[in-house]
Amino acid sequence: MAIMKVRFYIEALSNDRKALERAVEEIAKSLKNETNVKVENIRAEDILENPEEEMLKYSSMVEAELEGSFEEIVKATMKYAPAIVEVVSPAKIEIDAKDLMKILGEVSLFMGKLMEKFGGLVAYPPLDEIPKPRVGYSREEIEEMIIDGKEILYRFVIETFGKDKESIEETMLKAFAYEGCKINKIAVKVQEERGDRIYALVASELISPFEVLFQLTAKYAPVAISIIEPEIVDISATELQNALTDLGGFVHELTHRPLKKKLIEKDTFKFRLS
């Protein structure tokens, strides 16, 4: 697998200056001790104070250059949750679909565990006004999307809850379209009824760019994913950069929820006392 060189910008936030100093030291120490990726040029910026920010008024940024395979860079992104990932080199990578599926499986497993602990990531504006998207494409259309549009055809299975089978299917069709997918097939299989809701598996065959596939995997943590075509996926540096930055942002959002909740509760309590 091709070796990548990236630059991580890891944001550290706190409402306590001393705690933030310790956190920054721990991040830098962890980066120095990395064995799966090569880490160079670690630099911690000065701590900044934002008096207008009531909850997390202190911030700092740790920068570091990492070198490793795409798989190891993905793992490091999930570990450090950088605010920004900048791909230094190469300009693009080619990855076997089987290897990409393995990496996506690791992302799904990791994000699934985080969501079990901290809650889900999927949130959409009202989907009522979005028209029901087209389902089904000809072989010629799919080939054109893959060859000319550099898109990926894949099967995607997720767990979900809803009022009934029909409403789940309509919601997922619109959600996938909103995310930037074209839907070739979809099937909803009810697993069990739980009061006035049902638990179901949604199996779909989707066509989308790499970025959308990667983002969907991180947001939905599918129970199964299978890339049908192409056999070799060509990914540009910009696509890699955007996908990794999104992943870091998702991990950061989930892992910081307890702290933000605690600070909000503390401020609410203080407000009630006053």
Side-chain angles (χ1 to χ4, degrees):
M1 197 177 292
I3 297 299
M4 296 175 56
K5 188 172 185 178
V6 303
R7 190 172 290 114
F8 275 10
Y9 297 88
I10 305 165
E11 186 178 30
L13 301 166
S14 180
N15 64 333
D16 183 277
R17 189 183 187 95
K18 289 293 183 183
L20 183 60
E21 288 174 355
R22 290 194 296 272
V24 169
E25 289 174 2
E26 286 299 317
I27 292 170
K29 181 180 178 182
S30 181
L31 285 165
K32 288 175 184 176
N33 292 333
E34 279 292 338
T35 56
N36 294 322
V37 290
K38 182 180 178 183
V39 183
E40 296 179 327
N41 301 325
I42 302 169
R43 184 173 74 87
E45 294 183 356
D46 293 337
I47 291 176
L48 301 177
E49 180 180 359
N50 183 1
E52 297 179 3
E53 179 61 55
E54 293 183 5
M55 288 195 296
L56 300 170
K57 65 169 67 175
Y58 298 103
S59 65
S60 181
M61 190 76 73
V62 179
E63 298 178 22
E65 290 183 0
L66 288 74
E67 193 173 303
S69 68
F70 179 47
E71 181 177 7
E72 295 302 337
I73 295 297
V74 168
K75 289 178 180 177
T77 301
M78 293 189 290
K79 180 177 180 179
Y80 292 101
I84 299 172
V85 179
E86 179 185 343
V87 175
V88 179
S89 65
K92 68 174 185 177
I93 65 169
E94 291 183 347
I95 183 169
D96 188 283
K98 291 180 180 178
D99 292 332
L100 180 55
M101 279 191 290
K102 179 177 179 290
I103 294 168
L104 292 172
E106 291 171 347
V107 171
S108 178
L109 181 62
F110 182 87
M111 295 302 294
K113 288 179 179 178
L114 283 185
M115 285 186 272
E116 283 179 11
K117 190 173 182 180
F118 301 120
L121 275 169
V122 177
Y124 296 112
L127 298 172
D128 299 344
E129 296 181 5
I130 296 177
K132 192 173 180 179
R134 171 184 173 184
V135 178
Y137 290 84
S138 68
R139 182 60 205 164
E140 291 74 19
E141 289 174 314
I142 292 173
E143 285 183 354
E144 184 177 350
M145 293 175 204
I146 293 170
I147 296 169
D148 298 336
K150 284 182 59 186
E151 298 196 44
I152 302 170
L153 175 66
Y154 53 98
R155 295 192 179 103
F156 201 77
V157 182
I158 63 169
E159 300 173 302
T160 189
F161 292 89
K163 184 175 69 174
D164 52 50
K165 183 177 178 180
E166 291 71 24
S167 63
I168 287 175
E169 179 174 317
E170 183 176 351
T171 298
M172 292 314 306
L173 282 171
K174 292 182 177 182
F176 286 144
Y178 182 85
E179 292 283 2
C181 299
K182 300 176 188 70
I183 303 110
N184 195 41
K185 299 175 185 176
I186 191 166
V188 178
K189 187 173 182 180
V190 177
Q191 301 298 299
E192 65 177 283
E193 295 184 7
R194 299 182 182 178
D196 58 349
R197 302 175 78 208
I198 62 170
Y199 162 62
L201 291 177
V202 179
S204 53
E205 194 170 281
L206 306 173
I207 309 151
S208 76
F210 163 78
E211 282 181 59
V212 175
L213 164 59
F214 198 88
Q215 189 180 69
L216 276 184
T217 302
K219 288 170 74 171
Y220 279 96
V223 295
I225 185 166
S226 174
I227 296 175
I228 304 168
E229 293 182 76
E231 292 183 4
I232 302 295
V233 181
D234 187 354
I235 313 169
S236 70
T238 300
E239 291 174 311
L240 290 167
Q241 192 163 280
N242 293 342
L244 291 168
T245 297
D246 284 341
L247 178 59
F250 293 153
V251 175
H252 187 274
E253 179 184 337
L254 289 175
T255 54
H256 281 70
R257 276 182 186 174
L259 174 60
K260 289 180 179 178
K261 182 181 178 181
K262 186 176 179 180
L263 291 171
I264 289 171
E265 289 173 348
K266 183 179 178 181
D267 285 349
T268 304
F269 180 67
K270 285 166 66 178
F271 173 75
R272 286 173 180 166
L273 284 178
S274 62

